[in-house]
C-alpha cells in the first residue's frame, strides 16, 4: 500500500483544500455585463466551499450589495456620487447611439477619448475608496485572501494584489486593440492575421485591410500610452511612493481567463497562462412561464423570433421604434420583444412586447428561429450555446466587433432578419458553432473555477509565465542581437575591403613599377 | 421537455459516436520511444470503442506486429532489410556515444548531417512501401478512415492524409530548433525567450546566449531547408505529379498533440490547435515483484536509487562500466541497475544488476530517493509524475536537451548523485513539478484521446487553425505593409521638401529681385 504516494499526497491535499479549508477569494468591483459574467464563476466558487468577498464602490450602478447573496460584500466609499455616474452613463450611451451617427471620424474619436478620460477619472475615484482608505486596506490585509479575481477594465486590482502579495487572476473580454493582452500580458499578435479588437476586421485580410490593421494597432498604442498609462502610472507611483509601472504589475497576473473561445474568436497565438472560457455563464434552458409558452406555441411551424437590445437600452426614439416594429410586423414568425419604452404605433399583431423575457430559456426553445440582438457578448454566447442564428443591430461598445465575428462565421447577418430565417446555412452554421462550443474537454465554468483554485493551491502560477516579461522591448525583438550581428558583419566586410584594397595597391603598385621599368628598358 | 435540444442533440451524437459507431483510426509507423509513447493513446482509443489500424514497415526495429494486440497491424513492404536498419542504428549509436567525444564541432555536425541524410533515405524507403504500393493505397482508400494519427518524425503521413482526404492529428515530442512547429505549424517562437530545441539553452538567456540562440535557429533553418525539404518536396511532387510543398501539407494538420507540458517545458507562445499532453504514458505504480520488493525493503531508511540508461543502450564499455559501478558502490543507498551487459568488476555490494526492472512501479515506491537516467523524455515524465529527483547521464539525441530542462527547474543534476540525494531542494522541487503535473483539469491521456475523437467527430478542427497558414512570409511579417507605409512617408516627405524648396526659391527669388531693384534706384 505504499505505491502511488505522490498521487495520494496530491489527492489528500486537494480534499483538504476543498472540504476543510476552502479558499479565500477577493473579487474586484466591475460593472454591467462584466459583472453579469463574473457572477456564475463566483457562485460556482461558493459551491466549491470557497469564501468570496466582493468589493463594491458606493457609486456602483450595477452591483447590488443589498440583495441577499452568498457573497460577502465589502463596501468601498467612492469619492463619486451615484448621480454623477448615472449622468455619465447616459452621456456615454447618448454619444454611442445617437451622436456618433452624425459625426466625422476624427471628431468622433476625439469625443470618445474625452469620454474615456472622464471614465478613467471616475475609475480612479473609486480606487481612492480602496487604496486611500486605511480602514479598507487594513481589512484587506487582515482578510488573508488567497487570490484576487478581477476584470482589468477597472484599474487598481494589480496594485492591490501586489500590495497584499497574493496571486492575481484576470477575467477579460478583451481590451481595445488587445492592448493590455499584448503589452502587459506579452501575447504575440502579428497584425498580419490577428485583427485588433474593435478594428472591425476579420482574420482574413487583404492588403489594404492589413495596412489598416497595422495603423489601428499603432494608433491605439500611442493613444492609450498617452491618456491611460501616464495617468495610471502616476497614480500607482504616488500610492507606492516609488516609480511604478501599472503595465508591469499587470504582467504579474498568474492566469488570464479570456471570456471567448474558438467558436467566437478567430484563432490566434496564446500563452500558457491564457485560458479561454467563453460562455462561462451559459446553462441549459428551463421550462418557460405558462403565458410565454402559450404565446410561443401559438406560432405554429413558423416559430418565434426573440428581439432584445440588451440591459443598457431601455427605450429608443419613436422613429426607430416604428421602423423596427413595422419590419417585424412583416415576418410570419411570432416575435417576443424585450422593451420597456412605449409601444410603437406600427406594432404588428405577431409582435408582443415584454418588460422582461427569460432570454436563455427562449433561446433553448425548439421553436426559436432567430435571435435579433444588439450583439452583446453574453447574449451571443447563449445563442451559440443553443445553436440559434442571429440578426445583429449593433448599438455601441464591443457590439459591432462581436457581430462581425458572428457574420464571419456565417451565423449572423446585420440588419436583415429574413435572410437568417430562410437561408438554411445560418442555422447549420449556428449548430456547428454550438457543437464546437459544447465539444470541449471541460466546460468554460469548470475551466475558470479550476484555474482560480489552481492559483490558490499553488500560490499563483509562475510556471506558466513566459520569460518575455523580463525582457526590454529591444531584447524581445532581438534588436540588440541584430545590431551586434550587423556590426560584426560590417566589421568583417570593412576589414575584408581594406585588406583587398591593400593587396590590390601592393600588386598594382608593383605592376605599375614593372610597366615603368619596362618603359625604361 | 423540449428545452436543451441542442445540448441533447450533441449528447446523443456523442453517445452514438462512442458506443455504436466508434471511429476508424489509422496510425502512421514510428520507432523507439516514439512508438512506446504512442501505444497508451491507442490502447485508450480501443477502450473507447474505436478501431485502430497501425501501419508497420517490414524493416521496423521496434514495432512488433506479431505480438498479440488489440490493434490491427497493416504490414508495409519496405525496400530496406531489417539488417540494414540495425546496422545503421548501431552506427548512429556509436557516433552519438563514442565518436562525438573525440570530434571537433564542425566535424561532428558534418557527420551528423551525413547520418541524417541516410536516415531520410531510409525513411523514404519505408514510404515507398505505402505510396508506391497500389495494394496498400487501395486498402487505405477502402478503409474509410476517420483520422490519421502520426508522429511527423517519419515523413509521409501528411501526404497520405491529403490523398485520403482525412483529418490529420500529429503527436510530436519536438523537432530540431522547433523547425516543423515554427515553419509548418506557424507557432511564433521569438528567439529572445524561446530557446531552440537542442540548443542546450533555457528561457533565461543573457545577451550572448540570445545571440547563440538566434544563430542556432538560423543555421538549422538553412540546413533543414537544404537537406530535408528539398528531398521530401521532390518526393511528394513526384508522387502527386505536381509541385507539392511538404511543409504546406504539414500545415494542414488539425491538431498537434505536443508531448510536453509546463512541468517540463519552458512557457512559450502556442496556438489553439496545439495541445500539450506530456506524460501521456504515465500511470500509478503497481506492487513490485516479491524479490525486488525484498531488495528494496533491505535498504532501510537510506532508500534506493534506480539506474537505467534506457532501451537503446544494452551495454557500455568495460572502462565506463567500472567507473559507474565504483561510483555507485560509494553511496549508502541500495541501487537497482537495469543492464544487460557483463557485470563490472568494481560492482559494490549495495548494487544489484537486473535484466529488466518495473521502472514505473519503482519510481512510485516511497523508498526511492533518486533516479539515475540517460534523460529520455518518457523516463523523465515518470519521475515527474512520482516526484523523484534525478541524476542525468545524457547519452544522445534529445537527452542533453531534456536534462537541461530538469536542471533549470531544480529537480536534476548532471553526473553527481550525492547532491540530489542530500540536498533537500531537489526533492522539494520534484514534488512541486509532480504537483504541477497532476494539477491539471484533464489528464494528458484523456486530453490526447479527446482531441483525436474531436477530429473524428468534427471532420478535423479547421476552426483552430490560424490564418497565418494562408500568408506568404513577407505578408506574415507585414513587410509589404512596412514597404507601403515607408513609400508613403517618403513620398510625403519628398513632396513636402519639393514644395518647401519651391516656396523658398519663389520668396528668395523675389527678395533678390527686390534687392537688385533697390540697387537700380
Amino acid at each position: 500500500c505504499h505505491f502511488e504516494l505522490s498521487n495520494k499526497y496530491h489527492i489528500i491535499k486537494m480534499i483538504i483544500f476543498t472540504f476543510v479549508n476552502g479558499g479565500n477569494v477577493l473579487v474586484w468591483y466591475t460593472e454591467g455585463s462584466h459583472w453579469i459574467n463574473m457572477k456564475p464563476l463566483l457562485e460556482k466558487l461558493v459551491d466549491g466551499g470557497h469564501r468570496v468577498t466582493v468589493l463594491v464602490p458606493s457609486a456602483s450602478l450595477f452591483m447590488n450589495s443589498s440583495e441577499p447573496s452568498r457573497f460577502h460584500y465589502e463596501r468601498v466609499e467612492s469619492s463619486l456620487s451615484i448621480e454623477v455616474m448615472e449622468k455619465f452613463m447616459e452621456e456615454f450611451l447618448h454619444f454611442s447611439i445617437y451622436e456618433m451617427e452624425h459625426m466625422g471620424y476624427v471628431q468622433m474619436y476625439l469625443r470618445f477619448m474625452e469620454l474615456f478620460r472622464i471614465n478613467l477619472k471616475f475609475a480612479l475615484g473609486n480606487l481612492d475608496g480602496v487604496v486611500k482608505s486605511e480602514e479598507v486596506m487594513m481589512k484587506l490585509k487582515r482578510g488573508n485572501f488567497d487570490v484576487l479575481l478581477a476584470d482589468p477594465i477597472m484599474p487598481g486590482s494589480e496594485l492591490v494584489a501586489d500590495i497584499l502579495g497574493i496571486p492575481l487572476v484576470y477575467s477579460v473580454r478583451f481590451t481595445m486593440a488587445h492592448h493590455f493582452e499584448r503589452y502587459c500580458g506579452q501575447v504575440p499578435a502579428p497584425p498580419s492575421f490577428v485583427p485588433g479588437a474593435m478594428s472591425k476586421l476579420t482574420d482574413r485580410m487583404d492588403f489594404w485591410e492589413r495596412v489598416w490593421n497595422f495603423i489601428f494597432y499603432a494608433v491605439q498604442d500611442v493613444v492609450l500610452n498617452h491618456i491611460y498609462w501616464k495617468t495610471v502610472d502616476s497614480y500607482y507611483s504616488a500610492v507606492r511612493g516609488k516609480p511604478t509601472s501599472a503595465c508591469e504589475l499587470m504582467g504579474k497576473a498568474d492566469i488570464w481567463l479570456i471570456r471567448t473561445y474558438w467558436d467566437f474568436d478567430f484563432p490566434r497565438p496564446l500563452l500558457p497562462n491564457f485560458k479561454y472560457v467563453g460562455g462561462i455563464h451559459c446553462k441549459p434552458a428551463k421550462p418557460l412561464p405558462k403565458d410565454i409558452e402559450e404565446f410561443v406555441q401559438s406560432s405554429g411551424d413558423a416559430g418565434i423570433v426573440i428581439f432584445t437590445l440588451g440591459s443598457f437600452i431601455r427605450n429608443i426614439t419613436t422613429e426607430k421604434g416604428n421602423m423596427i416594429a413595422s419590419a417585424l410586423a412583416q415576418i410570419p414568425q411570432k416575435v417576443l420583444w424585450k422593451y420597456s419604452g412605449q409601444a410603437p404605433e406600427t406594432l404588428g399583431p405577431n409582435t408582443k412586447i415584454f418588460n422582461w423575457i427569460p432570454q436563455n430559456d427562449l433561446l433553448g426553445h425548439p421553436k426559436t428561429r432567430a435571435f435579433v440582438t444588439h450583439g452583446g457578448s453574453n447574449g451571443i454566447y447563449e445563442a451559440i450555446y443553443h445553436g440559434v442564428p442571429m440578426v445583429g443591430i449593433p448599438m455601441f461598445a464591443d457590439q459591432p466587433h462581436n457581430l462581425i465575428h458572428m457574420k464571419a462565421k456565417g451565423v449572423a447577418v446585420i440588419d436583415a432578419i429574413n435572410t437568417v430565417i430562410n437561408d438554411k446555412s445560418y442555422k447549420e452554421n449556428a449548430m456547428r458553432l454550438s457543437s464546437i462550443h459544447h465539444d470541449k474537454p471541460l466546460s468554460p465554468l469548470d475551466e475558470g473555477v479550476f484555474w482560480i483554485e489552481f492559483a490558490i493551491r499553488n500560490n499563483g502560477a509562475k510556471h506558466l509565465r513566459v520569460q518575455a516579461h523580463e525582457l526590454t522591448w529591444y531584447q524581445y525583438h532581438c534588436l540588440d542581437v541584430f545590431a551586434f550581428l550587423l556590426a560584426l558583419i560590417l566589421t568583417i566586410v570593412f576589414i575584408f575591403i581594406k585588406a583587398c584594397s591593400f593587396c590590390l595597391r601592393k600588386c598594382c603598385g608593383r605592376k605599375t613599377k614593372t610597366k615603368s621599368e619596362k618603359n625604361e628598358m
Side-chain angles (χ1 to χ4, degrees), chain A:
Chain A
C1 269
H2 50 258
F3 38 90
E4 256 189 90
L5 182 80
S6 66
N7 210 355
K8 268 187 190 161
Y9 164 82
H10 184 73
I11 290 165
I12 289 166
K13 196 175 142 202
M14 285 188 47
I15 290 170
I16 290 175
F17 166 79
T18 312
F19 293 101
V20 183
N21 232 343
N24 209 351
V25 182
L26 180 61
V27 181
W28 201 252
Y29 49 84
T30 188
E31 281 291 8
S33 57
H34 298 258
W35 174 233
I36 292 173
N37 216 295
M38 191 79 94
K39 267 205 253 181
L41 199 57
L42 305 185
E43 291 285 353
K44 183 103 187 194
L45 283 169
V46 172
D47 289 345
H50 304 282
R51 289 180 300 285
V52 171
T53 303
V54 185
L55 295 177
V56 183
S58 54
S60 173
L61 294 180
F62 284 84
M63 299 174 82
N64 189 350
S65 60
S66 59
E67 244 177 27
S69 154
R70 299 196 294 161
F71 322 139
H72 170 66
Y73 286 102
E74 187 68 50
R75 196 177 151 92
V76 172
E77 284 306 325
S78 173
S79 56
L80 306 160
S81 72
I82 209 153
E83 290 74 29
V84 169
M85 292 297 285
E86 268 173 352
K87 201 167 153 279
F88 174 69
M89 180 59 84
E90 253 171 50
E91 206 179 333
F92 182 71
L93 285 181
H94 187 74
F95 161 72
S96 305
I97 301 169
Y98 307 107
E99 283 178 16
M100 257 172 64
E101 285 180 20
H102 313 292
M103 282 177 169
Y105 198 81
V106 174
Q107 193 193 5
M108 189 188 84
Y109 198 78
L110 290 176
R111 174 77 177 130
F112 177 76
M113 284 301 131
E114 192 190 332
L115 291 168
F116 189 89
R117 251 184 241 267
I118 299 173
N119 187 46
L120 179 58
K121 204 182 79 189
F122 288 173
L124 295 179
N126 280 336
L127 186 53
D128 283 346
V130 184
V131 294
K132 295 192 176 165
S133 154
E134 269 184 40
E135 193 198 331
V136 172
M137 285 311 286
M138 190 58 79
K139 267 190 189 167
L140 295 185
K141 277 174 192 163
R142 284 189 187 151
N144 280 321
F145 292 104
D146 294 304
V147 69
L148 176 53
L149 177 64
D151 187 322
I153 205 156
M154 295 284 180
S157 60
E158 50 281 346
L159 177 64
V160 170
D162 194 59
I163 292 172
L164 299 180
I166 57 175
L168 174 61
V169 175
Y170 279 136
S171 169
V172 186
R173 172 65 191 93
F174 64 70
T175 60
M176 194 79 167
H178 304 300
H179 182 84
F180 286 6
E181 298 94 310
R182 287 184 299 120
Y183 265 56
C184 317
Q186 296 287 355
V187 178
S192 49
F193 67 98
V194 182
M198 301 289 275
S199 67
K200 303 196 183 174
L201 295 167
T202 74
D203 60 345
R204 283 154 208 255
M205 293 178 271
D206 62 23
F207 175 73
W208 295 110
E209 287 170 328
R210 280 186 284 114
V211 168
W212 164 235
N213 196 37
F214 187 87
I215 294 172
F216 182 78
Y217 274 117
V219 169
Q220 302 305 331
D221 290 350
V222 169
V223 168
L224 282 170
N225 196 37
H226 187 68
I227 67 171
Y228 188 83
W229 295 117
K230 274 195 181 163
T231 313
V232 178
D233 280 1
S234 73
Y235 186 99
Y236 282 20
S237 301
V239 171
R240 294 282 297 271
K242 64 178 180 189
T244 304
S245 153
C247 195
E248 222 173 285
L249 287 188
M250 284 190 75
K252 290 187 179 168
D254 292 275
I255 304 277
W256 296 61
L257 300 175
I258 308 291
R259 298 199 299 269
T260 182
Y261 184 62
W262 318 113
D263 46 5
F264 190 132
D265 220 339
F266 305 119
R268 47 173 298 171
L270 57 141
L271 292 177
N273 59 343
F274 278 60
K275 307 292 174 186
Y276 285 74
V277 297
I280 212 162
H281 63 291
C282 295
K283 47 182 188 281
K286 292 192 302 287
L288 298 172
K290 210 175 151 229
D291 58 326
I292 296 183
E293 177 67 33
E294 272 168 15
F295 181 71
V296 168
Q297 288 302 339
S298 75
S299 68
D301 283 345
I304 60 160
V305 165
I306 307 160
F307 178 28
T308 162
L309 295 176
S311 45
F312 279 93
I313 313 291
R314 281 171 200 140
N315 56 58
I316 47 183
T317 57
T318 319
E319 191 194 348
K320 261 203 179 172
N322 278 328
M323 208 175 68
I324 292 173
S326 62
L328 291 173
Q330 287 163 33
I331 60 171
Q333 282 76 23
K334 295 270 167 132
V335 180
L336 293 93
W337 183 353
K338 189 206 155 202
Y339 186 56
S340 44
Q342 218 194 326
E345 284 167 18
T346 54
L347 202 71
N350 66 333
T351 308
K352 201 167 168 181
I353 286 181
F354 294 84
N355 229 318
W356 171 88
I357 53 165
Q359 182 175 299
N360 185 55
D361 306 332
L362 279 167
L363 284 169
H365 198 289
K367 283 217 185 288
T368 302
R369 297 288 173 269
F371 179 40
V372 185
T373 171
H374 60 301
S377 64
N378 285 344
I380 287 183
Y381 251 118
E382 286 172 1
I384 289 176
Y385 184 94
H386 295 293
V388 178
M390 288 164 257
V391 179
I393 305 179
M395 307 298 278
F396 68 102
D398 60 339
Q399 297 163 4
H401 166 95
N402 296 339
L403 287 168
I404 280 160
H405 279 64
M406 290 303 101
K407 200 181 156 200
K409 294 194 186 259
V411 300
V413 290
I414 296 176
D415 293 336
I417 190 158
N418 279 314
T419 319
V420 156
I421 295 173
N422 299 327
D423 183 339
K424 286 263 178 300
S425 76
Y426 291 94
K427 179 65 185 175
E428 280 163 19
N429 287 332
M431 291 310 290
R432 192 177 48 78
L433 277 206
S434 179
S435 166
I436 288 172
H437 178 79
H438 289 281
D439 205 346
K440 277 184 286 209
L442 217 67
S443 82
L445 188 56
D446 286 338
E447 174 122 24
V449 167
F450 182 87
W451 289 109
I452 295 169
E453 292 188 343
F454 183 95
I456 298 174
R457 278 195 297 270
N458 298 280
N459 191 29
K462 298 288 167 282
H463 72 294
L464 298 179
R465 213 167 148 267
V466 287
Q467 272 296 311
H469 289 285
E470 313 305 324
L471 301 177
T472 64
W473 62 272
Y474 61 85
Q475 285 174 331
Y476 180 96
H477 294 289
C478 282
L479 298 186
D480 52 346
V481 173
F482 277 122
F484 168 74
L485 292 178
L486 196 68
L488 194 71
I489 290 166
L490 287 181
T491 310
I492 291 169
V493 169
F494 179 77
I495 291 170
F496 181 75
I497 291 173
K498 277 282 161 196
C500 282
S501 77
F502 178 76
C503 291
L504 223 65
R505 234 182 309 147
K506 277 263 162 182
C507 297
C508 295
R510 200 178 295 159
K511 265 185 194 166
T512 321
K513 227 178 188 175
T514 320
K515 268 185 188 170
S516 56
E517 275 168 10
K518 267 185 188 166
N519 286 350
E520 276 171 19
M521 269 164 63

